[in-house]
Structure formats: structure tokens, C-alpha cells
Amino acid sequence: MTRAGRHRASRALGDLARHRRRKRARRIALGAGLLLLAALVGGTGGYLSRYLPPRSEVAARASSDRTGAPLGSCRAIDGDTLACGAERIRLVGIDAPELPGHCRKGRACAPGDPVAATRQLREAMEGPLRIERLGTDRYGRTLGLVAGARGDLSCWQLAQGAAIYKPRWDEGGRLAAICPAAAG
């Protein structure tokens, strides 16, 4: 290889190394920026959380002015679960009686009539439904606050005695903030 050829090869290797260093620096900067953004927005100690209203205020406003996403055609699976197309939705903060054969051994299931609880939920599902999605459970179901013409469905089930309130399942006390039946 000639001297000029070695020089070109050396310069190409240097350009490649420089390119890799710059690419790595961009990746590090992007990662640091994402971490900074997450720290500013998320968590109770986050910078922005000082300027946002408490979750209970947000939930109370959501109950009076449901701005959640509209749901299409839905049906009641049992007293606390809906099927809306391919999406299964678990109502937050309540436990309704299980249909026969669904209460696994060793679990303390909600007392009551599962058929009546399902019928009560069907009654409450009149009119257009809207959902505030809060996450997913371990079975892949969407956890949400769902409201129809008769108000929040979880609250309806509690008021009708078709379900029991489970504070442990209430995402941040959202249901308790909008439903007097959950407190009593």
C-alpha cells in the first residue's frame, strides 16, 4: 500500500471513530434528557407536582365533568368487569360477587348474588359510556373509571349493594373521592 493509501485509510478510521463518539454522546444526552423529564414530571416529589392539583381534586372534577374517552359497544361480563370490543375493563375500587366457579380456592370473594350484580351493572350501562383509563391489572384488563347516563358505574354498583368497596384496589383513592357510597 502506498503512503497516500495508508493516509486515506487512517483518515477513514479516524472519521469512523469520531462518528461513533458523536453518536454515543447523542445517545447519552438523549437518555439524560429523558431522565430529567421523568424526574420533573413524575412522582410525588417531582418539580411539577407542586403546581398540579391533588389527585382527589382531579377525580372530583372528572366525576362532575366526565372528559374521558368514549367507549363503543360494551357488555357486562360480571358485576365489576365489562367487555368493550376486544378490550376487557375492570371497574376500579370494587369487588362484585363472582359467577359460579370463578371464586378460586382460598380467596375471600365478595358476598351476594352474582347474577343480580351483573344485572345491576347492565342497567347502569345505559347511554354513551366514557372511560378514564388508569392502567392494567395482572390479567391484562384495563383498570378504569367508567361513567354512563347514571353516573360512575363503580359508584352505582356500591349504591345498589351489588359490590363492596376495596380501598386497596382504588387507584389513589380516585373512586372514594367521587363516590359517597365508597366512604360509607
Side-chain angles (χ1 to χ4, degrees):
M1 187 184 288
T2 65
R3 184 178 176 144
R6 283 194 305 264
H7 179 69
R8 274 194 300 269
S10 171
R11 190 166 12 139
L13 286 175
D15 289 345
L16 180 62
R18 199 173 310 111
H19 170 75
R20 286 182 178 157
R21 283 193 305 270
R22 286 181 184 157
K23 190 174 178 179
R24 183 171 182 255
R26 281 193 299 265
R27 267 190 267 138
I28 290 171
L30 177 63
L34 289 174
L35 283 173
L36 178 61
L37 180 64
L40 289 174
V41 174
T44 55
Y47 175 76
L48 291 179
S49 65
R50 289 184 236 163
Y51 302 102
L52 297 174
R55 284 185 182 208
S56 59
E57 272 183 46
V58 173
R61 269 188 253 147
S63 69
S64 61
D65 178 30
R66 273 290 176 201
T67 57
L71 286 170
S73 176
C74 297
R75 65 183 177 83
I77 293 175
D78 60 20
D80 53 24
T81 308
L82 309 174
C84 302
E87 183 178 28
R88 288 176 55 116
I89 300 168
R90 178 71 162 78
L91 298 176
V92 168
I94 65 168
D95 190 19
E98 299 295 333
L99 292 169
H102 289 152
C103 188
R104 65 182 185 273
K105 200 172 192 173
R107 179 175 173 227
C109 292
D113 181 1
V115 176
T118 306
R119 187 175 53 248
Q120 290 287 348
L121 184 56
R122 260 190 227 114
E123 282 180 25
M125 291 171 57
E126 68 183 38
L129 298 178
R130 301 188 75 72
I131 183 170
E132 181 183 349
R133 289 178 175 85
L134 302 173
T136 55
D137 68 6
R138 61 183 171 168
Y139 302 110
R141 298 177 296 188
T142 300
L143 297 172
L145 291 170
V146 179
R150 296 189 180 192
D152 185 86
L153 298 185
S154 295
C155 194
W156 170 269
Q157 289 293 81
L158 290 171
Q160 301 302 312
I164 58 174
Y165 177 63
K166 292 284 199 165
R168 197 173 83 226
W169 297 352
D170 189 359
E171 297 284 318
R174 312 278 293 264
L175 179 61
I178 62 172
C179 183

